[in-house]
C-alpha cells in the first residue's frame, strides 16, 4: 500500500496471535494461528475497512490494536512508542487515545447503568473532571450523537438498537480518542439506522479529526465509507488498497469472490426496488 499521503498514526509489524484451544473430543491442545505476521499502516484521519470471512482474524486484529488483547509476537507502533512493550500504566494512558465500539451494545453496555453514567464512566476511571464537569460533558456528548438530553436517565434496555449504538459511540468519544475502532458495529442495525449512523460518524470524523477502522464482513458496508480496504483471509492481510482500487481491480481471488457476492446482493436489492415500482 502506498503510504505517501498523510502521516501514519499506527504501524503494525509482523503481528502474530496464537490461541491455544482444547480439541472438544480428544481434549488435546490445538494452536489456532489467528494472526500470521500482519503488517499494516493506519493513516491519520482516514477510514480503513477490514473485511474478510468469519474466522479470518478481523476481531483478533482490532482487539490487539485496541490493546484489549495481548499479542503473541510482533509490534504495534504509535509514533515512536512500541505499544506491545507498554506496562500497565502506559496501557492505561493509551486507552484515552484508542477506543472501540462493538457489534452488540447490549453486552458491551452495563445494563444497570443510566445513559449519562455510561458516558461518564471512562472519565471517572481516568480521573478527569469533577462530578459536575463529567455530567455536563456527558450531556454534550449525548447531543453530539443526537440522543435527547431527557434520555440521560434511561437504561440501555429502554433504548432501541440504534439509540444504544449511539450511546456506545458517545461513551467511546468521552475521552477524546484519536483512533476509533468499530467491530461490525453497524451489522445488527436495519438499513435506515445504518445510514443515519454512518452519516453521524462522518460528521464526527471531520469535527474531531478522527481515524477510523471499520470491521465488516461484507464489502457493501464499506463502499460508501472507507478510504482504504484491507482484506483478511486465514489470519493474513491478503490485499490492502484504496477503496477505489479494490472495487475497480480486485486482485486476490478471495477479494474477487467477496466482491462478486456483494455485487449480487446489491443486484437483488436493486431488482426488488425496481419490482416495487413496476
Ligand atoms: P473474525 O472476527 O474474522 O470472525 P476472529 O478474530 O474472531 O475472526 O477469530 C479468528 C480465529 O481465532 C478463529 O479461528 C477463532 O476461532 C479464533 N479465536 C478468536 N478468539 C479466540 C479466543 N478467545 N480463544 C480461542 N480462539 C479464538
Ligand atoms: Mg469478528
Amino acid at each position: 500500500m502506498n503510504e505517501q499521503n498523510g502521516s501514519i498514526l499506527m504501524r503494525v509489524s509482523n503481528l502474530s496471535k496464537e490461541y491455544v484451544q482444547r480439541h472438544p473430543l480428544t481434549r488435546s491442545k490445538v494452536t489456532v494461528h489467528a494472526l500470521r505476521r500482519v503488517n499494516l499502516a493506519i493513516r491519520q484521519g482516514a477510514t480503513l475497512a477490514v473485511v474478510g470471512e468469519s474466522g479470518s482474524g478481523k476481531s483478533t486484529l482490532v482487539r490487539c490494536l485496541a490493546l484489549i488483547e495481548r499479542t503473541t509476537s510482533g509490534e504495534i507502533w504509535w509514533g515512536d512508542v512500541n505499544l506491545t512493550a507498554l506496562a500497565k500504566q502506559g496501557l492505561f494512558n493509551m486507552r484515552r487515545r484508542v477506543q472501540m465500539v462493538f457489534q452488540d451494545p447490549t453486552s458491551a453496555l452495563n445494563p444497570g447503568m443510566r445513559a449519562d453514567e455510561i458516558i461518564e464512566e471512562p472519565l471517572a476511571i481516568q480521573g478527569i473532571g469533577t462530578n459536575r464537569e463529567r455530567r455536563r460533558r456527558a450531556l454534550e456528548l449525548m447531543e453530539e450523537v443526537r440522543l435527547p438530553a431527557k434520555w440521560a436517565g434511561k437504561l440501555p434496555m429502554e433504548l432501541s438498537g440504534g439509540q444504544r449504538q449511539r450511546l456506545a459511540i458517545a461513551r467511546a468519544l468521552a475521552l477524546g480518542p484519536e483512533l476509533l475502532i468499530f467491530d461490525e458495529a453497524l451489522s445488527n442495525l436495519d438499513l435506515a439506522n445504518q445510514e443515519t449512523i454512518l452519516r453521524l460518524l462522518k460528521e464526527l470524523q471531520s469535527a474531531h479529526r478522527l481515524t477510523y477502522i471499520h470491521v465488516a464482513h461484507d464489502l457493501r458496508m464499506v463502499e460508501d465509507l472507507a478510504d482504504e480496504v484491507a482484506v483478511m483471509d486465514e489470519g493474513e492481510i491478503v490485499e490492502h488498497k484504496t477503496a477505489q482500487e479494490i472495487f475497480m481491480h480486485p486482485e486476490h481471488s478471495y477479494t474477487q469472490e467477496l466482491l462478486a457476492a456483494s455485487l449480487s446482493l446489491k443486484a437483488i436489492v436493486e431488482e426488488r426496488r425496481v419490482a416495487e415500482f413496476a
Side-chain angles (χ1 to χ4, degrees):
M1 182 79 207
N2 186 338
E3 290 175 14
Q4 278 170 352
N5 302 325
S7 55
I8 303 298
L9 186 70
M10 205 184 224
R11 190 184 296 279
V12 174
S13 135
N14 288 323
L15 194 70
S16 293
K17 174 73 185 180
E18 291 164 10
Y19 294 108
V20 180
Q21 291 178 336
R22 287 228 174 246
H23 190 281
L25 296 177
T26 63
R27 310 296 300 152
S28 58
K29 284 186 180 170
V30 224
T31 303
V32 179
H33 297 271
L35 297 178
R36 302 166 194 261
R37 301 177 74 83
V38 169
N39 291 294
L40 182 65
I42 294 149
R43 274 196 306 120
Q44 186 156 34
T47 298
L48 169 72
V50 177
V51 300
E53 238 169 47
S54 172
S56 57
K58 307 180 298 293
S59 293
T60 304
L61 173 65
V62 293
R63 283 201 307 263
C64 288
L65 301 185
L67 309 173
I68 294 169
E69 188 111 61
R70 279 288 185 183
T71 58
T72 305
S73 62
E75 291 156 4
I76 304 171
W77 290 90
W78 182 283
D80 52 10
V81 182
N82 180 2
L83 302 184
T84 47
L86 288 179
K88 222 171 163 190
Q89 186 61 40
L91 286 173
F92 181 78
N93 295 339
M94 273 310 291
R95 296 255 142 75
R96 292 181 67 158
R97 312 175 83 171
V98 186
Q99 286 286 313
M100 196 152 159
V101 178
F102 297 90
Q103 176 170 9
D104 180 10
T106 318
S107 57
L109 302 174
N110 185 334
M113 280 171 108
R114 300 189 320 250
D116 55 354
E117 292 172 328
I118 286 173
I119 302 172
E120 283 169 41
E121 190 184 37
L123 294 164
I125 291 172
Q126 293 269 346
I128 297 168
T130 61
N131 280 343
R132 248 181 100 175
E133 285 161 349
R134 290 200 285 263
R135 159 111 193 136
R136 202 174 53 221
R137 182 83 186 110
L139 294 177
E140 272 170 24
L141 285 159
M142 284 185 71
E143 196 182 328
E144 266 209 275
V145 300
R146 316 275 148 70
L147 285 174
K150 62 174 190 226
W151 292 354
K154 288 198 186 245
L155 298 174
M157 61 169 285
E158 296 171 319
L159 299 171
S160 74
Q163 291 159 356
R164 271 200 292 270
Q165 211 48 308
R166 284 164 199 273
L167 179 58
I169 294 167
R171 176 184 165 94
L173 287 172
L175 294 169
E178 289 156 68
L179 174 61
L180 269 188
I181 302 177
F182 303 87
D183 191 355
E184 311 225 20
L186 304 181
S187 36
N188 284 355
L189 302 176
D190 61 43
L191 221 70
N193 260 316
Q194 282 180 357
E195 275 169 21
T196 8
I197 294 192
L198 280 178
R199 226 175 302 132
L200 172 69
L201 290 180
K202 280 187 185 163
E203 284 173 30
L204 293 170
Q205 183 168 40
S206 44
H208 302 286
R209 303 195 67 241
L210 295 165
T211 304
Y212 285 161
I213 301 177
H214 270 278
V215 171
H217 59 262
D218 121 44
L219 273 175
R220 280 171 316 150
M221 279 289 305
V222 307
E223 196 175 355
D224 192 35
L225 162 110
D227 302 301
E228 295 173 16
V229 180
V231 183
M232 290 195 75
D233 190 18
E234 297 194 354
E236 289 181 77
I237 293 185
V238 292
E239 199 166 355
H240 179 189
K241 288 182 172 160
T242 65
Q244 206 181 5
E245 276 175 298
I246 276 255
F247 284 102
M248 302 274 279
H249 310 288
E251 230 167 81
H252 199 271
S253 62
Y254 179 72
T255 312
Q256 290 168 355
E257 282 166 31
L258 261 182
L259 200 60
S262 67
L263 287 179
S264 55
L265 257 171
K266 219 174 184 178
I268 292 169
V269 172
E270 206 45 51
E271 238 167 56
R272 280 211 194 116
R273 254 187 215 146
V274 172
E276 274 168 24
F277 285 105

